[in-house]
Structure formats: C-alpha cells, structure tokens
Amino acid sequence: MSAMAAGVVLPTAMSMADKAMAATPKKGGTLRIGSGHGSTTDSMDPGTYENGFSLGMGFMYGNCLTEVSNTGELIPELAESFESADAKTWVFKLRKGVEFHNGKTLTAEDVIATYAHHRGEESKSAAKGLLTAVTDIRADGDDTVVFELSAPNADFPYIVSDYHLIILPSKDGKVDPLAGIGTGGYVIQTFEPGVKVIGTRNPNYWKEGRAHFDEVQILSIVDVTARQNALMGGDVDLIDRVDPKTVNLLGRNPAIDILETTGTLHYTFPMRLDVPPFDNYDLRMALKLAVKRQELVDKILLGHGALGNDHPISPATSFYAPDIPQREFDRDKAMHHYKKSGHSGKIQLSTSDAAFAGAVDAAQLIAASAAECGIEIEVVREPKDGYWSNVWNKKGWCACYWGGRPTADWMFSAAYVADTEWNDTAWKDTPAAKEFNDLVVKARAELDNAKRAAMYKRCQELIRDDGGALVPMFANYIMGVSKKLMHDDAVAANWELDGGKAHERWWFG
C-alpha cells in the first residue's frame, strides 16, 4: 500500500462551444502555438525554465517521472509505478524500452544524473529548492530508482512531475542540459530564444495515443494584440493569455473557440524585503490594505477570476484555508500603517504586460487607490523583453504571475521557503518567516491530515500578514483555439494549454 496523501484533482475545462471532441485522434499537420511568454535570455537548460514558452518546450521534447493528467490526477509517466511504505523512502519503477531521441535506452542512471544536475552545490536550478529534502538517490538495477528523503513527504510524487525535472540522457554520470534531447513526443529541430522552437514528431515515442502532429511550432508573441491578431489571421492555431478585455470580440470570430479553465493561476505584486522600504512591516501592510481587489477582478480580469488574499493557495489547492478573513481595501488602516512606517515620498512599482495582460493597468489602479490613502506610487513601465531576467526577482516591487502548484507544500517550496531561487519576496529572516519555514518542514512530515491542515492554515496566515506577497487576484486561463483543433473532454488546469501539453494531447479534426 502506498503511503500517499489523498490525490488532488484539479479543476478541468469549464466549457468549449459545441465541439465534437469524442472523435478519434488523427495524425498529421503542423500545430502553431502563439505563446505570450518567451525571452531572449531563455535557455535549453531545464533548470532555468521560468515561463510558459520554456515549459511548453520542455514538455515538447521531454517527460518527467510522473505527470498531472488532463483530468487533473497525478499519474505515472516515465515511471511505471511509484510506492512507499513510510513516505520517506520512495521507489519508482521505470518503464522498459523507452528511448531518448539519440537512441539511448532510459535507465535509472539517467534519472540519477538528471537530478544531480538540479541538486549540485553549484546548481542555480529553479527546482533545487524542491529537492532539498532528498538525501540520496540510488539505482536498484537498471529500471528502479530509490529516493531517500530527510523526512516523510506524502506529496513527493507530485514534486517529480515539475516541468524542470524532465529526464535527460546521461553519459559517464552526467547530462548535457543544453542538448535538448529527451524521451518526449517531438524532436527539437530549431530553438531561437525569445523567438521560436520547432519540433518534429518522434517516430519512436513510447506513449500510445499521444503526439499526433507532424510538427509543432511554439512562437513567442509576447504582445497580446499581436498574438490575438495572429490567431484571427490564421497565422497560429492556438494562443494562451487572451486579454479578458477582448475575449468577447475574439470569440465572435466563427473560426475560433474560447477555452477557459480555472485553477491555481494568480497575479501578484511581490515586494522584496531585501530592498528598502519593503523591509518595513508597516509599509507592506499599508500597501496591502490600499488595494481595491474587487476593482482589479472587475476591471482587469473582467470577472474571469476571483479575489486573492495575499497568499498563493487557491480553493483548487489541497489544504486551502477558507476561514481566513478576506483582506479588503481599508483607507483608515492603510493610513495608520503608512504613518507608522515613517515613510515619505514616492514608492516605485515596476510593471509590464509581460507579467500578465493588464499588468500596467492593474498597477495604475493600485496607485490610484493608494493615493486615496495618502501613499504616492510611481508606476514604472519596464520593457517586455528581458522583464523576467532584469526586473522580476531583482527590483523592489514589480508585477508577476504564478501558475500555482498542485499542492500547498509545492507552492510554498517553489516560491516562499528561504532557500528557493524563486523566493521573489526575499521573505526569509523575519520571525514570521522563520516560523513559516519551520512549519513547512513539519507539515510535510505530518501524515495526520487534520494536523497538517492546521499547519498549512497557519502558513497561509503568516504569508498573508507578514510576507511581501501582494496577491490581489486569481485569474482564469483564457485561450483562443482554432475550431480545427480537437481535444479530449477534460483539459488540465494546472498550467495553460492543457497543462502545457496541448501539443502532445490535441489533434486536428
């Protein structure tokens, strides 16, 4: 019997207009995806993947040990099975006969070498923080990998589905992270950072009933108007990040369907505690209280989303705490905290629509509501290209989005624990942050779900009340889809574009 927590089933697609989706998948054609992500600083190294373009590229050519299916369930992928008696020692049996694009057969050594790339002392991998609990990885024959953890973690099989952790072929115990060689449904032919990636169908793909297209092109079209025009003009077949402002206009095109999924996507304005004045608790609290959240949901998302409460856990995530009071705009309290902070003068908020559609407008709305509280915010428009490498995780206050993660522990480990590369609030050293980091470790090891729920509720409260995360809204994924495209009834909501795997799961009718 596997010692696993109850599986988290993520919400699937809400609707798609009258499509005959029960049709048998057909092979052929070139799928052109217009992605609202991508940067000239993107790399083939999976440890560096930081946006939807690179996520889609990784899933184009690679597979992980497990995956979140289109129905939202965690299922084996390159692993045939996984089990544990105590949630501390996890045994993954690999599928036999799986080949990499270079002809090498998948073995346990490839898994070990891949994980070593992310875990190494010099590693800058974004997945490094997720793997800190792993104390040892060893092979038990060619087709079995054993992970030893420092403490029990019932969620560990979810962790190995992370898009950074696609398995690469090893040679002499090492992988080449820049080679772009994997076991996935498509073989990379062209990669131009910030421009496009092109792959052709892998004739030896091990996964039955998947990877139907002859060729897949992911094109970086960061400008939302250009992206939507490309879909309306027939230059692409599928786009992500449709602007809520123009979704109705796009949906009136007879050749296009609108596909909307709801899950864990949230829009944030992280304040870095290592950049003054955001090291000041009262200033952070003043800014959180100076935001009209419903106005942002109404005017930026046009209702395609829900209120955020300054923590990253959505109702779609395990251990969401529904009884934490919803933070609202409070002019008097905001003024009180701002006065107490001792700050005066302008506060810069860096933003760009590269963060999310409407991010500039959202920043201006925040500035307007803050002005009602006597707080002056200067909205700084940053260039779209290079935003993720030059602004996010560097400047004191900026706009950001998070796709969310399937479990609370994973979300905390990705963005909030002290040792993750992606702690974009630098919330590490306050007493509340230290309590949070301690609780995350304890909750991960706790197999009693009631006790675990209490710990995770406290974690959400600590982030909400002390952390640098301003999380005003959860947004639906809105995609524009050519009516020529077909897919299963269920569409994953863990990431856009069917969990980032539309190129593997969909087909032309």
Side-chain angles (χ1 to χ4, degrees), residues 271 277-278 280-290 330-348 370-378 397:
M271 298 175 273
F278 306 106
N280 185 306
Y281 164 82
D282 286 291
L283 182 86
R284 297 196 302 275
M285 185 58 71
L287 291 171
K288 292 175 185 179
L289 290 163
D330 191 318
R331 179 177 176 272
D332 292 339
K333 284 185 179 178
M335 292 178 71
H336 165 77
H337 282 286
Y338 186 62
K339 182 178 180 181
K340 194 174 174 185
S341 76
H343 183 271
S344 63
K346 293 180 180 178
I347 301 172
Q348 287 194 335
E372 295 180 31
C373 308
I375 304 171
E376 186 178 5
I377 294 174
E378 179 188 357
W397 191 20

Side-chain angles (χ1 to χ4, degrees), residues 78-142:
L78 287 178
E80 187 176 72
S81 65
F82 49 89
E83 61 181 7
S84 176
D86 59 2
K88 190 175 179 183
T89 300
W90 284 96
V91 179
F92 290 79
K93 286 273 188 186
L94 302 181
R95 297 184 188 276
K96 292 183 174 66
V98 175
E99 284 189 359
F100 290 97
H101 300 157
N102 62 2
K104 184 187 185 303
T105 299
L106 171 71
T107 69
E109 293 302 327
D110 300 310
V111 176
I112 293 170
T114 295
Y115 277 75
H117 170 63
H118 298 282
R119 295 174 65 223
E121 280 188 29
E122 302 300 316
S123 172
K124 297 294 184 183
S125 171
K128 188 174 184 178
L130 294 173
L131 302 173
T132 52
V134 177
T135 57
D136 185 52
I137 309 174
R138 67 180 186 273
D140 183 5
D142 283 345

Side-chain angles (χ1 to χ4, degrees), residues 386-422:
Y387 182 81
W388 296 108
S389 54
N390 300 326
V391 179
W392 175 75
N393 220 3
K394 289 185 174 62
K395 295 204 173 179
W397 191 20
C398 73
C400 178
Y401 81 97
W402 279 91
R405 299 295 188 270
T407 69
D409 179 75
W410 190 351
M411 188 65 237
F412 294 150
S413 298
Y416 291 89
V417 297
D419 58 358
T420 177
E421 292 285 327
W422 283 7

Side-chain angles (χ1 to χ4, degrees), residues 4-16:
M4 282 192 65
V8 181
V9 179
L10 303 178
T12 51
M14 285 159 36
S15 65
M16 184 123 183

Side-chain angles (χ1 to χ4, degrees), residues 226-426:
R227 190 164 63 255
Q228 294 181 178
N229 285 342
L231 180 65
M232 288 190 289
D235 297 319
V236 298
D237 309 295
L238 171 63
I239 62 171
D240 56 13
R241 310 187 88 186
V242 170
D243 190 339
K245 291 189 182 72
T246 53
V247 65
N248 290 333
L249 176 67
L250 195 65
R252 288 202 289 267
N253 188 307
I256 294 169
D257 277 323
I258 299 299
L259 175 63
E260 193 161 338
T261 58
T262 185
T264 58
L265 171 67
H266 51 287
Y267 293 160
T268 73
F269 292 87
M271 298 175 273
R272 293 191 63 84
L273 272 71
D274 58 357
V275 179
F278 306 106
D279 54 347
N280 185 306
Y281 164 82
D282 286 291
L283 182 86
R284 297 196 302 275
M285 185 58 71
L287 291 171
K288 292 175 185 179
L289 290 163
V291 176
K292 296 181 179 179
R293 295 156 199 271
Q294 191 62 55
E295 181 180 50
L296 291 175
V297 172
D298 293 343
K299 293 183 178 178
I300 303 301
L301 301 181
L302 299 181
H304 296 273
L307 294 177
N309 202 19
D310 295 336
H311 67 74
I313 307 304
S314 84
T317 309
S318 60
F319 299 111
Y320 166 74
D323 52 345
I324 297 176
Q326 173 63 51
R327 177 164 288 140
E328 297 179 352
F329 175 78
D330 191 318
R331 179 177 176 272
D332 292 339
K333 284 185 179 178
M335 292 178 71
H336 165 77
H337 282 286
Y338 186 62
K339 182 178 180 181
K340 194 174 174 185
S341 76
H343 183 271
S344 63
K346 293 180 180 178
I347 301 172
Q348 287 194 335
L349 171 53
S350 292
T351 187
S352 165
D353 284 351
F356 58 86
V360 173
D361 290 341
Q364 290 169 338
L365 287 173
I366 290 173
S369 61
E372 295 180 31
C373 308
I375 304 171
E376 186 178 5
I377 294 174
E378 179 188 357
V379 176
V380 181
R381 294 192 183 211
E382 303 281 1
K384 289 181 179 179
D385 188 50
Y387 182 81
W388 296 108
S389 54
N390 300 326
V391 179
W392 175 75
N393 220 3
K394 289 185 174 62
K395 295 204 173 179
W397 191 20
C398 73
C400 178
Y401 81 97
W402 279 91
R405 299 295 188 270
T407 69
D409 179 75
W410 190 351
M411 188 65 237
F412 294 150
S413 298
Y416 291 89
V417 297
D419 58 358
T420 177
E421 292 285 327
W422 283 7
N423 186 333
D424 61 8
T425 57

